[in-house]
Amino acid sequence: MKSALELAMEKTESMVDEKAKLTPEQLEAIDEVKKEYEAKWAEQEIVLNERIKKISSETDPQTFAEHQKQFQDEKNRVREQIFEERDQKIAQIRG
């Protein structure tokens, strides 16, 4: 049985090998996609936080507190959707 360290080292080696197989153009394209989707998430996070702030000012504190989980769930859903799309584009670039 392999130790956790050995398994981690194997995984790291396979990741390094995979990255080494990518062309410079692919690496650049992946970096661009990552930047694009980080910017998309930052923009959406600002929009969502502004909406939450507006709702907070328009409702009583107890009602707002009761809906806090819903707000967080929506932020998580949007973030996951954006990064899932990003990961699909990166997978396409890798071929």
Side-chain angles (χ1 to χ4, degrees):
M1 184 180 262
K2 295 182 180 182
S3 71
L5 178 61
E6 290 172 320
L7 293 172
M9 292 297 289
E10 284 179 5
K11 185 175 181 179
T12 303
E13 287 173 13
S14 69
M15 288 170 45
V16 169
D17 289 344
E18 182 180 309
K19 192 168 185 168
K21 294 177 186 176
L22 298 175
T23 66
E25 293 81 15
Q26 288 173 310
L27 291 172
E28 186 176 327
I30 288 171
D31 285 341
E32 286 301 315
V33 167
K34 286 180 179 180
K35 288 177 188 175
E36 175 186 347
Y37 281 87
E38 286 293 330
K40 279 186 179 187
W41 167 239
E43 181 181 352
Q44 285 298 309
E45 188 175 30
I46 290 168
V47 169
L48 290 168
N49 285 338
E50 288 298 317
R51 277 188 27 212
I52 291 169
K53 187 188 290 185
K54 183 178 183 220
I55 292 169
S56 170
S57 68
E58 294 174 351
T59 60
D60 66 275
Q62 175 144 358
T63 303
F64 180 76
E66 290 170 0
H67 291 89
Q68 193 72 5
K69 184 175 179 346
Q70 286 178 306
F71 301 141
Q72 189 60 45
D73 289 346
E74 182 177 355
K75 283 176 69 173
N76 290 341
R77 183 187 55 75
V78 170
R79 184 180 63 242
E80 287 172 12
Q81 181 181 7
I82 288 171
F83 289 140
E84 183 178 312
E85 188 177 318
R86 176 204 63 191
D87 293 344
Q88 289 172 356
K89 284 194 176 192
I90 290 173
Q92 288 174 348
I93 292 168
R94 287 185 172 160

